């Protein structure tokens, strides 16, 4: 499956959801996740993310391993999202800041 990682937090650009052929993105207050059971590994979403926050589970950058479980867990708790919306107000400011997991709202 593909995994949404740290840099989505507090940005949530949502460009990713528009291209997913199986609509497997789920939305929380300041982050999105992919349901690993629904993702078909098409890779279409990866280049769409302005924050470069989406990776194949097989190519996760070092330090992002916790997001495998976070995506699987929160996909079962959050509502589905299929249409792009405005990013969070301070998205540009937060884009690229390290270690945003501490700010994840569940
Ligand atoms: Fe959807 Fe394809 Fe991205 Fe998986 S890899 S979340 S199926 S767009
Ligand atoms: Fe997040 Fe990137 Fe999608 S910032 S909402 S994974 S476009």
């Amino acid at each position: 499956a593909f995994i949404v990682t740290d840099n989505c937090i507090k940005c949530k650009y949502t460009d990713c959801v528009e291209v997913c052929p199986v609509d497997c993105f789920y939305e929380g207050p300041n982050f999105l996740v992919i349901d690993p059971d629904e993702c078909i590994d098409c890779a279409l979403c990866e280049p769409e993310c302005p924050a470069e926050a989406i990776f194949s589970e097989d190519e996760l950058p070092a330090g992002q391993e916790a997001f495998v479980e976070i995506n699987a867990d929160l996909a079962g708790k959050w509502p589905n999202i299929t249409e792009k919306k405005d990013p969070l107000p301070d998205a540009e400011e937060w884009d690229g800041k390290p270690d945003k997991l501490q700010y994840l709202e569940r």
Side-chain angles (χ1 to χ4, degrees):
F2 278 63
I3 309 290
V4 185
T5 64
D6 197 85
N7 203 34
C8 177
I9 296 168
K10 282 185 162 280
C11 291
K12 202 168 79 169
Y13 284 109
T14 72
D15 301 68
C16 53
V17 308
E18 293 260 300
V19 299
C20 182
V22 296
D23 293 343
C24 66
F25 282 88
Y26 294 82
E27 183 186 19
N30 65 4
F31 186 54
L32 292 195
V33 294
I34 292 167
D35 185 333
D37 294 331
E38 295 178 334
C39 175
I40 58 170
D41 288 321
C42 73
L44 287 175
C45 57
E46 185 175 10
E48 294 302 317
C49 176
E52 297 183 8
I54 304 178
F55 295 91
S56 167
E57 187 172 354
D58 303 329
E59 296 175 353
L60 270 187
Q64 300 296 307
E65 296 83 4
F67 285 93
V68 175
E69 187 59 36
I70 289 169
N71 276 244
D73 177 36
L74 297 176
K77 297 176 174 161
W78 285 349
N80 193 229
I81 173 172
T82 59
E83 288 182 16
K84 181 173 163 55
K85 55 165 73 170
D86 288 340
L88 291 173
D90 298 327
E92 271 185 57
E93 185 187 322
W94 283 96
D95 189 352
K97 290 229 164 88
D99 303 326
K100 294 193 273 183
L101 181 52
Q102 60 191 309
Y103 305 115
L104 175 62
E105 296 172 37
R106 293 168 189 256

